[in-house]
């Protein structure tokens, strides 16, 4: 009796021990392996993001001078015309993402054919701008689009224009000029993503489309495009996020000018937080940019799932 009682009483303990230390119910070893990276993620990502959210509801002067102001920072931001101008400019700047995606898809389809020789050379040339630092690319394009740069010189020499155009000093041309740089910069990345997606489509599907008498446009619309949904989602989400927080190329080439004509949310955030030293307002702008990115990314993912 004593032995059986001891055996019965030890069974639950062994089950708990098994569930806690590698048993079939719960294995903590994978979580222990993930603990260092989760700790680093919490320190360098979760805590700064949470602290920024908290700071956006305060009047932060120094660590010792913090006053809770609630939604006052957001009310002030939404009442400023410069903020809404930055929102419009960011929306226009995001159109460069659409152009870059479309051209990248076209290049991937063209370079995927067997008729072009030296495809690897063309792919390397197109992908090279993506490896180039954005500051270097912005400086180069800034020189090219100056009043006496190579762009104006070329257009004058071939008779397209009679006098130099102020590409970066014009309120209507400054933002499209910067968009040109970003399209050129991200084109290689989009092409590479679409190239991987196109090459993963089995040839049997295209053979079935040919047997069914589908035209090239019908094959692209009903076969290629639906099977490239994942690359489309990746390039669209990443492109929209980069457009919303776009700063480096704009700041190097125009600094948001002239007169705020090319000032996006990223530049507006920099001016408010660092140039003016208003960290609370800057944190609120950062939160707004974060929410916009989440909303647009979620909308794209939801549309892709439903379609």
């Amino acid at each position: 009796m004593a032995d059986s009682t001891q055996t019965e009483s030890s069974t639950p303990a062994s089950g708990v021990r098994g569930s806690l230390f590698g048993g079939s119910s719960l294995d903590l070893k994978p979580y222990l392996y993930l603990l260092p990276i989760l700790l680093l993620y919490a320190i360098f990502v979760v805590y700064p993001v949470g602290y920024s959210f908290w700071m956006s509801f305060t009047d932060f002067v120094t660590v010792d001078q913090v006053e809770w102001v609630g939604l006052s920072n957001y009310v002030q931001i939404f009442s400023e015309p410069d903020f809404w101008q930055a929102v419009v400019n960011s929306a226009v700047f995001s159109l460069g993402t659409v152009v870059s995606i479309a051209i990248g898809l076209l290049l991937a389809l063209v370079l995927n054919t067997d008729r072009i020789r030296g495809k690897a050379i063309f792919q390397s040339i197109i992908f090279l701008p993506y490896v180039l630092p954005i500051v270097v690319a912005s400086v180069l394009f800034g020189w090219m689009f100056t009043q006496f740069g190579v762009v104006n010189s070329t257009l004058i020499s071939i008779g397209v224009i009679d006098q130099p155009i102020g590409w970066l000093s014009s309120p209507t041309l400054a933002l499209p000029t910067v968009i040109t740089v970003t399209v050129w910069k991200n084109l290689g990345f989009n092409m590479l993503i679409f190239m991987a997606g196109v090459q993963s489509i089995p040839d049997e599907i295209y053979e079935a489309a040919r047997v069914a008498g589908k035209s090239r446009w019908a094959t692209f619309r009903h076969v290629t495009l639906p099977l490239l949904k994942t690359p489309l989602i990746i390039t669209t989400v990443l492109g929209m996020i980069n457009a919303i927080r776009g700063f480096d190329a704009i700041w190097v080439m125009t600094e948001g000018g002239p007169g705020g004509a090319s000032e996006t949310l990223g530049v507006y955030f920099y001016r408010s937080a660092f140039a003016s030293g208003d960290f609370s307002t800057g944190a609120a702008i950062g939160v707004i940019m974060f929410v916009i990115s989440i909303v647009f990314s979620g909308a794209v993912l939801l549309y892709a799932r439903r379609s």
Side-chain angles (χ1 to χ4, degrees):
M1 292 292 293
D3 294 339
S4 60
T5 304
Q6 183 178 2
T7 303
E8 292 176 359
S9 62
S10 62
T11 301
S14 61
V16 173
R17 186 181 298 109
S19 62
L20 292 177
F21 299 96
S24 58
S25 300
L26 179 62
D27 189 3
L28 293 180
K29 290 182 179 179
Y31 300 97
L32 294 177
Y33 294 142
L34 291 175
L35 185 59
I37 189 63
L38 291 177
L39 183 61
L40 292 175
Y41 183 81
I43 294 175
F44 294 104
V45 177
V46 177
Y47 174 74
V49 171
Y51 193 80
S52 298
F53 270 87
W54 171 81
M55 186 186 296
S56 67
F57 296 100
T58 65
D59 183 10
F60 186 92
V61 181
T62 63
V63 178
D64 299 328
Q65 298 180 2
V66 181
E67 180 183 356
W68 182 267
V69 295
L71 298 175
S72 298
N73 292 326
Y74 293 95
V75 173
Q76 177 185 352
I77 292 171
F78 290 139
S79 62
E80 293 182 357
D82 293 341
F83 168 75
W84 295 109
Q85 181 64 39
V87 172
V88 173
N89 291 339
S90 296
V92 176
F93 192 71
S94 64
L95 294 178
T97 299
V98 179
V99 175
S100 180
I101 292 174
I103 299 177
L105 176 59
L106 178 61
L107 290 175
L109 295 175
V110 172
L111 294 177
N112 190 52
T113 60
D114 297 331
R115 300 177 181 179
I116 299 178
R117 297 180 180 180
K119 292 187 295 184
I121 298 176
F122 288 104
Q123 294 174 7
S124 301
I125 294 174
I126 297 172
F127 187 75
L128 183 61
Y130 184 75
V131 182
L132 192 68
I134 184 62
V135 175
V136 176
S138 302
V139 171
L140 292 176
F141 270 79
W143 290 341
M144 292 172 58
F145 283 97
T146 56
Q147 185 176 4
F148 301 101
V150 63
V151 175
N152 281 328
S153 300
T154 302
L155 294 178
I156 292 175
S157 62
I158 62 178
V160 176
I161 58 177
D162 298 329
Q163 57 184 1
I165 298 176
W167 300 96
L168 300 177
S169 59
S170 171
T172 57
L173 296 177
L175 188 58
T177 303
V178 179
I179 292 175
T180 303
V181 180
T182 57
V183 170
W184 175 79
K185 181 75 170 57
N186 299 322
L187 190 60
F189 174 79
N190 294 332
M191 180 202 67
L192 191 66
I193 296 296
F194 285 120
M195 183 73 70
V198 170
Q199 293 178 354
S200 65
I201 301 177
D203 295 334
E204 291 79 4
I205 299 180
Y206 289 111
E207 291 295 336
R210 295 190 190 97
V211 172
K214 297 291 184 180
S215 62
R216 290 185 177 180
W217 170 247
T219 302
F220 170 76
R221 182 180 178 182
H222 299 291
V223 177
T224 304
L225 200 59
L227 294 177
L228 291 179
K229 183 173 68 174
T230 300
L232 281 170
I233 293 174
I234 294 174
T235 54
T236 302
V237 171
L238 292 180
M240 291 172 61
I241 293 176
N242 291 330
I244 292 172
R245 63 183 181 88
F247 168 78
D248 33 24
I250 299 173
W251 186 258
V252 171
M253 298 182 67
T254 65
E255 295 186 0
S262 61
E263 185 177 68
T264 58
L265 286 173
V267 179
Y268 184 73
F269 163 78
Y270 175 80
R271 289 189 184 277
S272 300
F274 298 101
S276 301
D278 191 351
F279 298 108
S280 298
T281 303
I285 298 171
V287 171
I288 294 173
M289 294 170 60
F290 176 78
V291 172
I292 293 175
S293 301
I294 293 297
V295 170
F296 275 93
S297 301
V300 171
L301 295 175
L302 181 62
Y303 174 78
R305 179 177 297 181
R306 290 183 176 181
S307 61

